[in-house]
Amino acid sequence: MSITENETWMQPNRRQLLKSAAVLLVSAWANAQGAGFAQIQPPALTRKIIVVACGGMRRSDTFSATGAQNIPHLYRDLLPQSVFYPLVQNAGVTSHFNTISSILTGQWQRLDDWGKTAPVSPTFFERARKQYKLGQEQAWLISSNKALSSKIGASSVREYGAAYGANVVFPKQLLINAVVRAAAGGRPVQSTDRSSVQPEIEAMLSRDNFDGLGWSVFGDNSVLEPKTLGAIEGAIAELVRTNAPATGDEFTYLVSREVMRRFAPSLLVVTFSDMEVAHFGSYAMHLAGIRTVDRLVYELWNEVQTQPAYKDKTTLFVLPEFGRDADGSSTNGFFNHRQNDPSTRMTWMMCLGEAARKAQIIEQPAAHTSVYAAISRLLDLEKSGDASQPPLAGLSL
Amino acid sequence: MSESAMKDTNDLNSTTLPQRDQYRAAITRLPITMRPTLEQQLAGWERLFPYEQNRLRAFLDALQAFSLAALEVLTQPMREIESRMGVQSWHFTAGSETMENSSLLARSEYYAEWRSCVQRIYEAVEAEARKIAPTQPQRTRRIVLILPANLPLEAYSAWAHWEGRGRKISLAQGSVPFGEALLSGPQGGLHGLQDAAGVDSSDCWIIDAENKIHASVAPSSTACNLSYATLQEFREHFLAEVNTIPKNLQAADEILAALRPQNWERWWPASLGNDARLRNFVVDLFLSGNGALIFCNSFVEWAASEALRRARPATLVARFGMRAKPKAFTGIAIFENQHRISSLPDVDDPEGSAIDAQLLARYIWLSARRYSEYDSAYLVCISESLHAAWLIAPDNKMPDWKLEDAVSAEQVRAWLNTAL
């Protein structure tokens, strides 16, 4: 697929449907909070932090002579205005849950790969919310990755924990579950059958705490209003009727954007995962996932520029969670990300916005846990967590 | 469990390894984290291919030859690492490999050190094995990879992954696809595909995304024949079971353990006959992931890589194929049976399939390169759409065909036949 084709593949009507679904979903959360949430304006930070973690992508498929064609926006549009770190090492466990929790806590976490247990040191969500008494709508983690669980949003540390954690949402999983449940009920998705997925979505979103999706939104009372629920069902039923390529990351992005518009959170972490189709061995689809992320990061940055709450106040960190295993490895190359090799452990990071005042490339090695150290400095958090991590060079902290 | 499944299990468990108890005792002398792999192989002895059996037997004979004191010295560093890892407090299964075992090891901060230590112990024991039973002279092996005509490879990039060793040749165009002409033809076609007395079927593997090779080229062969297309019914039922696995390591291990001995009798294709060993290979293959249940080309690559690892065949033929495009909306649930969750018709993805197949063909060769048995192997990777192929062989065995020559299937076959 050419880059041009990739940029235009999503039909306008289909994207409009995804947007509608995202808008309705976020409206539902807002409504679920009731009047109290709407009337009280909890404190927010002046500075905004957005972290985008992009699954497993090798440097050779991204920032390299051969890989640059897969990331035209990152390479041509964003790199020239960024502080770029070409040598970022994941020295921890190269699984999704462990890597994301290491980014959030600044400590290499060694937890159950499927998110059975919470991080064992505080996340920057918790530290910032506790120190600045931020409301719960100020911290979000919106993820495409089904390897995460709601425990990613807060640590198990007694003086912090869920009371100071982030809202955790998995939009892609909502769509997947709806399709799978429809099929399990003998109602395969058809181009003309709008009723096949709708009841599944209704069933999932009607449950207390979105049981089955792993969401943790606004504490334990996240029940959607029936009226709003119906609107969501309609939007997604329209979505499934279209015969165009689908991407879960697109929906994750649209939900993230809507959360930014409605709540303007100070702390937002977005994780994309379309490229993780690599686990099933399609290199073509893996590259398509990288191109999608490239486009969505660019759109996210443009969204930051158009929202007064974010413009000139935001620092955006973009980094893959890790690379992928080297061709010829005993772990089957790009399929996986568990090899102890630079192909898997070494990746890159891009920093844009307020803290990246002078575009430059920093050759000094950094680590995934460095993000936490930088955020701690940016927000002037009292406890910096992993003191062994040096602050990221090149940033105005 | 049904009667037929019981019979299969009983057959597999029959005692044909007299030293089994002694070997078990030898394994218990090793640190606990080294035991699951060996225990599992020993328990499934009858399901191993001859290469695996020979290697395991040699390893365990050598292990027995170590004195207690010598083994203590060799394994002491590993025991120290296990202690630092805190293995004593883990829910670690010594009797078989589990996902939980792997997860516990992989997330330890001492994992890299542990891996190096395992490798050192294996190298020491295998060195001892070579003293006891010197290795046999190696045979030349052959790998034939076919990218069929419906995969439109780009001429400028098709061989980019192969640069560094070997060279490109041009292929003659005939009335039948080149791959088919290569494998069949007069005088029995490619040698080694047909039955040969005293040769185990695992010495030749034919792995096909469709069912072209076995059906039309080598129907009489008793080689290990695997076809993604022919396995469709089995795959679909197996996938449905795999998709019931929850996000919980212990539960996943329990379900995986239950899947192995399950009676799949009615879903196996006739081509697998009563070959319990090959059926077990397929089950292991699908349980090890890597997209083998989902995409035909992933199946071909992973099956070939596992065949090379486990059987070291003299001849391996792998033919790639066409996968469908991800379906609208339901494509996000790609791990699901797309026929079941969407009634939209399949649409071929020739360009995407070509990108996948050309990289995965290279991966098969890279898998072979990890094993010394393939140091002097012959390889031909054929692109039927480009009428070109990539050849690899020892320098003194490379044919002197020029790029402008249109080499016929007979010529390539004759060259490959000189390898045996």
Side-chain angles (χ1 to χ4, degrees):
Chain A
M1 190 194 304
S2 72
I3 291 166
T4 309
E5 286 168 334
N6 182 56
E7 285 176 336
T8 56
W9 63 262
M10 185 168 278
Q11 298 168 358
N13 61 338
R14 173 177 169 72
R15 193 149 205 243
Q16 192 54 47
L17 291 170
L18 278 169
K19 282 180 187 172
S20 303
V23 168
L24 290 165
L25 205 56
V26 178
S27 296
W29 293 324
N31 292 339
Q33 286 304 292
F37 184 75
Q39 289 168 3
I40 299 168
Q41 287 297 318
L45 296 169
T46 309
R47 284 180 153 160
K48 306 282 188 189
I49 303 291
I50 302 176
V51 178
V52 178
C54 314
M57 311 190 290
R58 293 192 290 205
R59 296 200 311 171
S60 58
D61 291 323
T62 51
F63 281 100
S64 73
T66 53
Q69 63 180 321
N70 300 318
I71 51 164
H73 295 301
L74 286 169
Y75 189 71
R76 289 185 215 142
D77 301 321
L78 299 181
L79 181 63
Q81 49 182 311
S82 77
V83 177
F84 184 74
Y85 302 86
L87 301 171
V88 175
Q89 190 187 24
N90 185 331
V93 182
T94 53
S95 67
H96 298 288
F97 193 88
N98 278 295
T99 296
I100 299 295
S101 37
S102 298
I103 292 171
L104 299 179
T105 62
Q107 308 271 2
W108 297 115
Q109 301 289 321
R110 299 184 182 280
L111 309 162
D112 177 274
D113 290 340
W114 287 350
K116 200 170 156 186
T117 55
V120 295
S121 41
T123 61
F124 61 73
F125 295 128
E126 295 161 85
R127 287 199 190 275
R129 282 196 60 205
K130 186 170 186 181
Q131 182 173 332
Y132 294 107
K133 298 181 172 53
L134 300 178
Q136 190 165 12
E137 82 297 339
Q138 287 297 305
W140 290 76
L141 190 148
I142 302 170
S143 174
S144 287
N145 200 318
K146 65 179 185 153
L148 303 187
S149 73
S150 62
K151 290 190 183 296
I152 197 82
S155 72
S156 57
V157 179
R158 187 181 298 170
E159 61 264 38
Y160 292 97
Y164 301 103
N167 299 298
V168 180
V169 182
F170 303 105
K172 181 176 177 177
Q173 199 59 28
L174 167 67
L175 300 185
I176 290 174
N177 285 19
V179 172
V180 171
R181 284 173 58 113
R187 301 179 295 278
V189 177
Q190 298 175 53
S191 59
T192 55
D193 180 8
R194 60 186 298 157
S195 66
S196 59
V197 171
Q198 200 166 345
E200 318 305 332
I201 291 170
E202 179 176 332
M204 285 184 292
L205 295 183
S206 297
R207 291 178 180 183
D208 289 352
N209 207 24
F210 310 117
D211 184 30
L213 291 170
W215 290 357
S216 175
V217 184
F218 297 132
D220 294 328
N221 300 313
S222 33
V223 181
L224 298 184
E225 272 190 344
K227 192 175 171 185
T228 312
L229 186 63
I232 297 171
E233 292 159 14
I236 298 181
E238 285 291 331
L239 175 72
V240 301
R241 289 201 313 169
T242 63
N243 187 17
T247 156
D249 280 349
E250 183 80 28
F251 193 45
T252 292
Y253 163 70
L254 291 170
V255 169
S256 304
R257 193 185 69 174
E258 200 55 31
V259 164
M260 289 167 69
R261 290 179 178 178
R262 297 293 180 98
F263 305 120
S266 303
L267 306 167
L268 172 64
V269 174
V270 183
T271 84
F272 292 123
S273 74
D274 279 355
M275 77 295 295
E276 292 299 323
V277 71
H279 284 298
F280 300 111
S282 172
Y283 190 58
M285 291 165 72
H286 171 61
L287 294 182
I290 293 174
R291 292 183 189 117
T292 300
V293 161
D294 173 72
R295 176 173 54 82
L296 295 178
V297 168
Y298 183 59
E299 291 191 20
L300 181 66
W301 182 241
N302 288 338
E303 180 69 18
V304 165
Q305 305 314 308
T306 60
Q307 287 196 31
Y310 284 93
K311 185 173 169 55
D312 301 327
K313 302 173 187 134
T314 301
T315 300
L316 169 65
F317 298 89
V318 182
L319 73 169
E321 294 168 38
F322 25 71
R324 305 198 81 84
D325 296 349
D327 291 346
S329 69
S330 60
T331 50
N332 214 19
F334 82 99
F335 287 59
N336 295 303
H337 42 76
R338 56 176 189 261
Q339 190 189 14
N340 186 27
D341 182 271
S343 175
T344 307
R345 291 206 176 276
M346 197 59 80
T347 184
W348 49 264
M349 179 165 64
M350 179 177 278
C351 184
L352 292 150
E354 194 207 356
R357 289 173 199 164
K358 181 185 173 193
Q360 56 191 308
I361 293 174
I362 305 294
E363 299 284 354
Q364 183 180 325
H368 286 64
T369 46
S370 308
V371 175
Y372 177 94
I375 291 171
S376 290
R377 293 282 286 268
L378 275 168
L379 300 183
D380 198 20
L381 297 182
E382 286 160 0
K383 295 178 181 175
S384 60
D386 189 350
S388 66
Q389 280 302 325
L392 284 166
L395 295 185
S396 303
L397 299 173
Chain B
M1 191 184 295
S2 74
E3 266 186 40
S4 58
M6 284 288 280
K7 183 175 182 305
D8 256 7
T9 308
N10 290 337
D11 286 345
L12 294 172
N13 289 336
S14 62
T15 306
T16 55
L17 184 65
Q19 312 94 317
R20 194 186 295 258
D21 290 342
Q22 295 96 301
Y23 284 158
R24 277 222 167 91
I27 292 170
T28 59
R29 294 165 63 195
L30 290 169
I32 188 169
T33 54
M34 290 191 68
R35 294 179 208 160
T37 305
L38 295 165
E39 288 275 16
Q40 186 158 313
Q41 283 191 308
L42 196 58
W45 175 262
E46 291 75 16
R47 288 168 290 191
L48 300 181
F49 297 106
Y51 170 79
E52 294 175 297
Q53 290 182 335
N54 293 337
R55 190 173 182 204
L56 180 61
R57 197 195 308 258
F59 183 90
L60 294 174
D61 284 342
L63 187 61
Q64 285 183 304
F66 270 80
S67 68
L68 277 177
L71 193 61
E72 181 62 27
V73 170
L74 180 64
T75 59
Q76 185 54 33
M78 171 61 91
R79 293 183 201 280
E80 285 170 11
I81 292 170
E82 287 182 348
S83 175
R84 274 183 277 148
M85 285 175 142
V87 176
Q88 298 89 333
S89 61
W90 290 356
H91 183 265
F92 193 83
T93 308
S96 63
E97 292 179 307
T98 66
M99 290 174 69
E100 189 171 25
N101 281 1
S102 304
S103 176
L104 286 164
L105 288 165
R107 65 184 193 244
S108 166
E109 60 186 305
Y110 304 107
Y111 180 57
E113 211 177 323
W114 176 85
R115 282 185 64 104
S116 302
C117 201
V118 169
Q119 194 173 340
R120 278 199 299 275
I121 294 173
Y122 263 85
E123 284 169 359
V125 177
E126 287 180 337
E128 184 66 25
R130 283 192 292 275
K131 286 185 210 163
I132 297 171
T135 48
Q136 301 296 314
Q138 290 193 359
R139 299 175 296 158
T140 304
R141 289 168 162 81
R142 303 170 308 177
I143 296 173
V144 178
L145 308 175
I146 302 168
L147 303 164
N150 59 355
L151 301 186
L153 270 64
E154 300 280 0
Y156 72 94
S157 63
W159 310 111
H161 296 292
W162 295 87
E163 298 295 343
R165 188 173 171 200
R167 64 185 165 81
K168 187 172 93 166
I169 60 168
S170 303
L171 302 178
Q173 299 182 43
S175 55
V176 293
F178 194 93
E180 196 175 318
L182 172 70
L183 301 176
S184 60
Q187 289 87 47
L190 189 66
H191 296 170
L193 294 188
Q194 284 70 34
D195 302 345
V199 177
D200 189 86
S201 61
S202 68
D203 208 38
C204 177
W205 287 70
I206 298 171
I207 300 166
D208 196 347
E210 300 168 84
N211 188 28
K212 297 281 187 190
I213 306 176
H214 186 59
S216 63
V217 177
S220 64
S221 173
T222 57
C224 289
N225 285 289
L226 293 176
S227 152
Y228 184 80
T230 306
L231 282 165
Q232 181 180 347
E233 228 178 340
F234 173 74
R235 281 190 287 108
E236 289 183 353
H237 286 88
F238 200 82
L239 180 62
E241 292 290 327
V242 167
N243 280 338
T244 63
I245 294 175
K247 276 176 63 174
N248 177 311
L249 284 174
Q250 273 179 279
D253 278 327
E254 285 166 17
I255 291 176
L256 293 178
L259 279 177
R260 286 179 193 281
Q262 212 169 98
N263 180 19
W264 302 101
E265 191 64 40
R266 59 192 290 213
W267 313 118
W268 286 113
S271 59
L272 263 66
N274 294 315
D275 190 340
R277 187 179 62 176
L278 192 55
R279 289 178 178 186
N280 186 69
F281 175 89
V282 173
V283 169
D284 282 347
L285 188 81
F286 287 155
L287 289 180
S288 60
N290 286 287
L293 267 168
I294 309 296
F295 293 132
C296 63
N297 290 328
S298 303
F299 170 85
V300 170
E301 184 270 342
W302 188 230
S305 296
E306 283 294 276
L308 290 164
R309 182 179 71 83
R310 296 186 51 185
R312 304 288 206 272
T315 302
L316 183 139
V317 180
R319 183 179 182 279
F320 291 88
M322 182 77 73
R323 67 161 165 77
K325 288 181 178 174
K327 289 186 182 176
F329 188 72
T330 62
I332 58 168
I334 208 148
F335 49 87
E336 276 285 339
N337 179 345
Q338 294 287 308
H339 298 292
R340 192 174 66 93
I341 62 174
S342 172
S343 57
L344 293 172
D346 281 347
V347 177
D348 284 349
D349 184 358
E351 290 80 15
S353 302
I355 291 170
D356 295 348
Q358 72 184 57
L359 182 70
L360 296 177
R362 167 80 173 149
Y363 270 30
I364 293 175
W365 173 242
L366 291 175
S367 291
R369 292 287 295 147
R370 291 204 298 274
Y371 313 120
S372 60
E373 290 87 345
Y374 293 89
D375 284 351
S376 57
Y378 286 40
L379 171 128
V380 55
C381 179
I382 297 159
S383 166
E384 291 180 344
S385 67
L386 293 177
H387 305 292
W390 193 266
L391 298 189
I392 294 176
D395 288 344
N396 61 347
K397 304 292 183 187
M398 285 293 274
D400 57 0
W401 301 321
K402 304 286 184 292
L403 184 56
E404 57 272 23
D405 296 339
V407 181
S408 70
E410 290 72 22
Q411 287 175 286
V412 176
R413 188 192 317 128
W415 174 68
L416 284 169
N417 282 339
T418 64
L420 293 184

